[in-house]
Amino acid sequence: MSDAAIPPGILIERESANRPNYLNWSHTVKDWLLTSDHKRIAILYLISITFMFGLGGIAAMAIRAELVLPHGHLMESETYNKVFTMHGVVMIFFFLVPSIPATLGNFVLPLMIGARDLAFPRLNLLSWYLYTIGGVISLGAMICGGVDAGWTFYTPYSSIYSNSNISVTLLGLFIAGFSSITTGINFIVTIHKMRAPGLTWMRLPLFVWAHYATSVIIVLGTPVVAVTLGLVLTERLLHIGIFDPAIGGDPILFQHMFWFYSHPAVYIMILPSMGIISEVVACFCRKRVFGYSFVCGSTLAIAGFGFMVWGHHMFITGQSVYTGMIFSALTFIVAVPSAIKVFNWTATIYKGEVVFSAPMIYALGFIGLFTIGGLTGLYCASLTVDVHINMTYFIVAHFHYVMVGGATLGYLAGLHFWWPKMTGRMYPEGWAKLSAGLVFVGFNLTFFPQFILGWLGMPRRYHYYPVEFQTWHVLSTAGATVLAVSYIIPIIYFIWSLKYGEKVGPNPWGAAGLEWTISSPPLPHNFDNLPTVTWEAYNYEVPHADEEVDHSGGIVGDEQPSH
Amino acid sequence: MSVEVAHEAHGHHPTLHHQFEDLEQQNDSYVVGMWTFLVTEIMFFGGLFLAYTVFRHSNPEVFADAGHKYLDWHKGSFNTVVLLSSSLSMALAVYSAQKANRGAQLLFLGITVLCSFIFLGVKYLEWSAEFREFHLPGPGFRYVTDAHIDTAKAQIFFCLYFAMTGLHALHVIIGILIMSVIGFMIVARKPCVQYYMPVEMTGLYWHFVDIVWIFLFPLFYLIPKNG
Ligand SMILES: [Cu+2]
């Protein structure tokens, strides 16, 4: 047989037992802060993103605590506005957008395609610095002064009716936008040019496809929001602004330009998560993802259609009814590729040998919650229904089902799935299953009542409400507490596992994919010899040996045994 | 250290980075990366072009009046010629880089930088004229005309004019900095510029900056009189 019959990972695993890996080849702070290794940058990002997630979470808990009583007992209205703005800005721009691409994508993508690094390692490091600088600037302004315009920064809230802290916050977001852009450019070039020999486009793992589509959205969308926020900034500083009605400008133009990015940004958050679900479902059902090419196609379709639906955020801004109808119809079309994905995951699970490990439980949670989030999206996309539910808690519940139930659960699934690869140690499975269950329960308890609240007419961004809504709000806050606990548990056991977790070999899950052929944690340069790929992604149905049992069988396997 | 071993193992060419297998892969990556970057630049300017389209569509008479009265198409045309010449010399610089002709490379890069400075100089004259006429948007904005023009709308025209030509000028300045750095590295015989890729990438960037001006010039200076 050809070279591929000797899986490269096995050789490396034997040789590399005592060789320094990417974590322990050096321990100086300088080597971490000036690293160009995609794996170390991923770890830096993981730490910063977890910090941001914590901050956004604290703001969320403050919101929920405030809403327990109908007449706002904890904070004044202005403080409340600042807190929900902080929650939105931190969670969207500093957690959800970079979460999966910059951590798991950064770590796993080059390993998956058999590359030694991303195409531009120093650009990758620059990305982390831009993220950090942008984060410090934005957060500094939001914590020290406070910004109350909401995460959407609608003019004239953000221009005429804001204090000058907002300029600093916008500057921070502008800078952080370029961290996103550099990551996007890096991924596009890497996927185009750094694939291992034989790794054709249709052999790529769906995680890579998802990141490709995400990067395209980042590259096309982020500059537009950067220039939009930049214009608000110059409007405030230099009086050059085109959104200010006082000088003949148009505030609605801001909404068009903002949502041109910020709707596709939803797909920047959810597509990488969908990629993770494809990997996890295939691995724990021991099957090839059903309809692989359809999942690829739906990924690209979502990215494409995602740019044509921004007007569904503006049904009540007085845009023409005909425009609204077209945007509504296009929004319905986006549901088709999303449904294809859900259908294909379900079909993959059907008759698979399902292993209910923690990543798989998270993935199952994702499928259920994303389906609810997606279907309620259709309510919001219907013109007449939207007039009723727009600006209510129904919208809040809908996008949290997609962003938290979808994107964040996918992120957690991926984090558990690749944790042994990243650290060389296994997390405690029992605790992980417990927290996966708690996330699901806590999440539904938090956000399902919000659907009902919204349907009954509870407006978002208000902290005074009629007494009859109180029961639902108390339920939601109780759920948020459970949710908070279910996020704190993994943070504790992940840190615990760094020292006490069971050591694992290259492939603890018996998963297919090039990243599982190399040692855990990987060597600094990933591969001693670059692999040549002759097989398709997820070739689980090819009989293969579990790596713990038999080292002679291919973990990844070769194409089809020809004998 | 294993990292160093790995670097040596396939570091045949002094300018080949460790993540690439060969120079061809590296060059291809640079080209794809540069084009992707230019796409982000197009989207960046695109937001401003969108705003221009919206406001010119709703106020054609204001744009025609302001453009004709206060922007000098002679200066604009001169600058267009200057920038187009700079693009030619940039192309020649890339050509001489590919031929590894150091002298010619430096000469043509120098001409390109010179053209850029002439462009910025003319731009400076134009902008300071606008400042003298109180056309800088803000509380001090004034607009004198005999036509029936809403001053606020005229202000929008100048907002767009300053924002778009300002962003373009910023790109010209960045271009000058990049070309100067590359020029000095060529003089100092740094290994990274022994190969033509840095100059070629700068060329792509420079042609993009040029093309943006090719759109800006007619949009601001050559608006039809009747709107
Ligand atoms: Cu949307």
Side-chain angles (χ1 to χ4, degrees):
Chain A
M1 296 249 344
S2 63
D3 292 344
I6 310 159
I10 300 303
L11 298 174
I12 293 171
E13 205 262 327
R14 281 186 190 141
E15 293 163 7
S16 66
N18 297 313
R19 286 167 59 185
N21 59 49
Y22 83 99
L23 287 169
N24 65 10
W25 71 267
S26 110
H27 291 285
T28 61
V29 175
K30 176 173 161 273
D31 279 337
W32 273 93
L33 292 183
L34 295 180
T35 181
S36 61
D37 181 348
H38 67 102
K39 302 181 287 301
R40 286 196 163 195
I41 296 169
I43 301 292
L44 292 176
Y45 253 122
L46 181 65
I47 296 166
S48 1
I49 275 168
T50 309
F51 175 75
M52 290 294 187
F53 183 69
L55 273 181
I58 290 169
M61 286 316 290
I63 295 170
R64 286 316 321 166
E66 171 75 359
L67 289 170
V68 169
L69 288 178
H71 297 300
H73 57 301
L74 275 182
M75 34 187 138
E76 297 165 30
S77 299
E78 205 191 330
T79 318
Y80 182 75
N81 292 349
K82 287 176 181 174
V83 170
F84 73 66
T85 302
M86 167 114 172
H87 169 68
V89 170
V90 170
M91 285 303 202
I92 300 270
F93 295 108
F94 294 106
F95 174 69
L96 283 166
V97 166
S99 62
I100 297 171
T103 57
L104 298 172
N106 225 337
F107 195 98
V108 185
L109 193 133
L111 305 180
M112 277 184 161
I113 62 172
R116 291 186 208 279
D117 206 320
L118 290 174
F120 307 121
R122 279 177 293 183
L123 193 67
N124 197 17
L125 182 65
L126 175 70
S127 163
W128 181 72
Y129 276 101
L130 290 174
Y131 171 85
T132 310
I133 294 167
V136 168
I137 293 175
S138 281
L139 280 177
M142 280 190 294
I143 292 172
C144 300
V147 172
D148 58 1
W151 79 273
T152 51
F153 295 103
Y154 273 12
T155 51
Y157 295 137
S158 57
S159 49
I160 304 169
Y161 298 111
S162 274
N163 58 32
S164 50
N165 287 310
I166 205 163
S167 307
V168 185
T169 309
L170 289 172
L171 179 69
L173 291 180
F174 188 81
I175 295 170
F178 285 93
S179 94
S180 208
I181 292 174
T182 47
T183 304
I185 293 176
N186 225 334
F187 282 0
I188 287 179
V189 177
T190 306
I191 297 170
H192 265 284
K193 289 294 161 196
M194 310 284 283
R195 284 172 287 131
L199 191 54
T200 58
W201 284 91
M202 294 317 277
R203 285 174 179 167
L204 283 177
L206 290 165
F207 184 80
V208 178
W209 271 103
H211 276 76
Y212 187 75
T214 306
S215 305
V216 170
I217 301 174
I218 289 177
V219 160
L220 293 177
T222 316
V224 178
V225 82
V227 82
T228 311
L229 298 180
L231 280 171
V232 178
L233 190 63
T234 45
E235 174 167 333
R236 296 186 58 93
L237 300 178
L238 306 173
H239 303 287
I240 291 182
I242 48 185
F243 308 127
D244 182 2
I247 57 171
D250 183 357
I252 303 293
L253 184 64
F254 174 87
Q255 296 186 25
H256 278 291
M257 290 171 76
F258 181 81
W259 288 115
F260 178 81
Y261 163 78
S262 292
H263 183 81
V266 171
Y267 302 119
I268 296 178
M269 305 171 210
I270 195 77
L271 278 175
S273 222
M274 292 168 156
I276 289 174
I277 302 307
S278 298
E279 300 297 316
V280 170
V281 164
C283 170
F284 293 106
C285 298
R286 291 287 176 273
K287 275 173 78 181
R288 189 158 199 260
V289 172
F290 179 85
Y292 169 92
S293 51
F294 279 86
V295 182
C296 295
S298 65
T299 304
L300 296 180
I302 288 176
F305 282 116
F307 276 107
M308 300 178 214
V309 301
W310 77 88
H312 64 214
H313 295 269
M314 301 167 62
F315 287 157
I316 57 167
T317 52
Q319 74 182 357
S320 123
V321 182
Y322 302 105
T323 318
M325 278 157 73
I326 290 167
F327 277 126
S328 171
L330 285 167
T331 308
F332 274 91
I333 288 177
V334 182
V336 176
S338 310
I340 288 176
K341 281 173 180 289
V342 172
F343 176 81
N344 285 18
W345 292 321
T346 321
T348 311
I349 296 170
Y350 180 66
K351 288 191 173 172
E353 315 161 32
V354 185
V355 182
F356 288 98
S357 61
M360 187 63 187
I361 299 176
Y362 278 114
L364 290 172
F366 172 102
I367 296 173
L369 299 179
F370 173 75
T371 305
I372 298 177
L375 289 177
T376 50
L378 298 179
Y379 292 54
C380 310
S382 315
L383 276 172
T384 43
V385 180
D386 186 66
V387 173
H388 174 60
I389 57 178
N390 202 335
M391 292 293 175
T392 71
Y393 264 76
F394 194 91
I395 302 285
V396 175
H398 154 67
F399 70 71
H400 278 87
Y401 263 81
V402 178
M403 304 283 76
V404 185
T408 310
L409 251 66
Y411 174 62
L412 286 169
L415 203 55
H416 285 81
F417 187 55
W418 283 299
W419 187 257
K421 178 53 64 188
M422 294 166 86
T423 63
R425 289 178 187 269
M426 188 56 91
Y427 55 82
E429 181 73 15
W431 284 101
K433 281 180 179 164
L434 174 75
S435 71
L438 274 183
V439 165
F440 189 79
V441 173
F443 176 83
N444 280 302
L445 191 55
T446 312
F447 292 104
F448 202 83
Q450 297 189 5
F451 276 127
I452 299 164
L453 277 172
W455 197 257
L456 296 175
M458 168 84 201
R460 65 191 286 200
R461 293 177 177 147
Y462 279 56
H463 67 142
Y464 281 41
Y465 57 83
V467 187
E468 66 255 35
F469 291 154
Q470 193 178 8
T471 320
W472 299 114
H473 273 300
V474 171
L475 274 180
S476 182
T477 303
T481 316
V482 178
L483 202 53
V485 171
S486 73
Y487 288 139
I488 292 169
I489 296 174
I491 293 176
I492 294 170
Y493 65 66
F494 275 140
I495 295 172
W496 176 88
S497 77
L498 290 178
K499 200 154 176 20
Y500 304 104
E502 187 197 334
K503 285 202 174 181
V504 293
N507 193 1
W509 308 118
L514 288 178
E515 80 269 30
W516 301 107
T517 65
I518 57 173
S519 58
S520 315
L523 300 172
H525 55 279
N526 301 347
F527 296 90
D528 276 338
N529 301 297
L530 289 191
T532 301
V533 180
T534 54
W535 53 85
E536 302 197 313
Y538 316 116
N539 52 345
Y540 286 103
E541 273 122 307
V542 179
H544 69 280
D546 204 304
E547 59 100 23
E548 303 297 339
V549 181
D550 182 5
H551 278 276
S552 62
I555 289 170
V556 189
D558 35 21
E559 192 167 18
Q560 283 291 332
S562 50
H563 41 265
Chain B
M1 284 278 79
S2 59
V3 194
E4 268 63 55
V5 174
H7 284 196
E8 281 162 31
H10 54 129
H12 314 295
H13 195 281
T15 59
L16 181 65
H17 289 286
H18 74 100
Q19 71 272 28
F20 297 112
E21 284 306 286
D22 49 41
L23 266 184
E24 194 193 341
Q25 188 189 28
Q26 175 167 317
N27 290 345
D28 283 358
S29 300
Y30 287 162
V31 173
V32 176
M34 194 65 200
W35 279 104
T36 317
F37 169 72
L38 293 182
V39 169
T40 70
E41 286 278 44
I42 289 171
M43 297 308 289
F44 200 77
F45 276 98
L48 291 168
F49 278 107
L50 171 79
Y52 176 94
T53 312
V54 168
F55 287 112
R56 176 161 162 193
H57 177 76
S58 49
N59 314 289
E61 69 296 336
V62 180
F63 276 56
D65 192 63
H68 277 279
K69 214 158 265 147
Y70 291 107
L71 297 188
D72 182 2
W73 68 269
H74 297 97
K75 287 201 184 90
S77 317
F78 175 75
N79 256 352
T80 309
V81 173
V82 167
L83 262 198
L84 281 178
S85 323
S86 82
S87 246
L88 173 67
S89 67
M90 190 71 229
L92 291 170
V94 172
Y95 176 76
S96 9
Q98 285 167 342
K99 295 272 175 240
N101 185 342
R102 281 181 74 242
Q105 210 176 326
L106 281 172
L107 172 73
F108 289 123
L109 276 179
I111 294 175
T112 314
V113 173
L114 184 70
C115 288
S116 322
F117 274 114
I118 295 173
F119 176 87
L120 287 178
V122 175
K123 212 76 220 133
Y124 170 79
L125 292 179
E126 288 187 87
W127 274 40
S128 35
E130 303 298 342
F131 290 163
R132 277 196 301 275
E133 303 261 10
F134 300 104
H135 285 159
L136 188 65
F141 182 83
R142 257 186 259 157
Y143 187 74
V144 184
T145 179
D146 21 273
H148 294 288
I149 298 294
D150 183 352
T151 315
K153 303 285 183 195
Q155 200 169 180
I156 285 289
F157 175 86
F158 283 101
C159 281
L160 286 164
Y161 172 73
F162 283 114
M164 293 172 88
T165 56
L167 189 64
H168 178 259
L170 181 69
H171 278 76
V172 174
I173 293 168
I174 292 171
I176 292 176
L177 289 176
I178 296 172
M179 284 184 277
S180 314
V181 169
I182 286 184
F184 282 119
M185 290 202 308
I186 293 170
V187 172
R189 294 178 189 274
K190 286 267 195 300
C192 53
V193 284
Q194 276 171 13
Y195 202 57
Y196 64 86
M197 231 33 205
V199 181
E200 176 151 338
M201 293 299 101
T202 315
L204 275 178
Y205 171 82
W206 193 250
H207 295 315
F208 167 79
V209 174
D210 226 32
I211 288 171
V212 172
W213 179 255
I214 295 299
F215 280 92
L216 289 178
F217 171 60
L219 285 182
F220 281 106
Y221 293 81
L222 304 181
I223 303 170
K225 269 234 167 72
N226 48 11

